[in-house]
Amino acid sequence: MRKFSGLCAALILGLTTASCGGSTGPGGGGGGGGGGGGGGGGGGGVCPANTVCATASNSFSPAALTVTAGTTVTWQNDTGTLHNVTWNDAAGRTAATAGDGSGDITDFTGSHTRLFSAAGTYAFHCTIHPGMNGTLTVN
């Protein structure tokens, strides 16, 4: 029974650190105190730079992100629940270019990127979860 409990604890620890706000990952390095609740997967923590994480509480974190023109922005969804990124208007769809696709991001888990070269403020939402909204400002 001890071996089973240890295996479960190791699995939970591994899943926790693999979430959006964990202490390891791209540009994250090791050590430290982790993401303070698992980032996108746990509703706490901080997403990596230039990343919008979908959370288990059906919100985007951060809800408002500001980047400089020429930045590639990542939308990360490690919740196990489908989310999407739908621009509120044609300006947002047009501005979201050249990542791993362009325009809206259809239902997804994992991550997707978009490059933003045109300055402006672009609002987006998830059509699956009413009230799940965000804003991207490009300077």
Side-chain angles (χ1 to χ4, degrees):
M1 188 63 169
R2 273 190 195 164
K3 287 183 181 181
F4 179 73
S5 297
L7 179 62
C8 288
L11 179 61
I12 290 170
L13 179 62
L15 290 172
T16 300
T17 58
S19 68
C20 186
S23 61
T24 60
V46 177
C47 289
N50 303 324
T51 301
V52 177
C53 289
T55 71
S57 60
N58 296 332
S59 62
F60 289 112
S61 176
L65 178 65
T66 300
V67 299
T68 57
T71 298
T72 297
V73 177
T74 301
W75 276 265
Q76 182 71 37
N77 177 10
D78 292 332
T79 67
T81 300
L82 287 178
H83 293 291
N84 59 51
V85 177
T86 302
W87 298 100
N88 289 7
D89 57 32
R93 265 180 223 96
T94 301
T97 65
D100 58 7
S102 61
D104 295 338
I105 300 172
T106 58
D107 299 356
F108 77 103
T109 58
S111 66
H112 287 283
T113 60
R114 298 291 186 265
L115 172 66
F116 292 87
S117 298
T121 299
Y122 309 109
F124 57 91
H125 62 281
C126 175
T127 61
I128 302 169
H129 302 102
M132 188 171 178
N133 305 304
T135 304
L136 176 68
T137 301
V138 180
N139 293 325

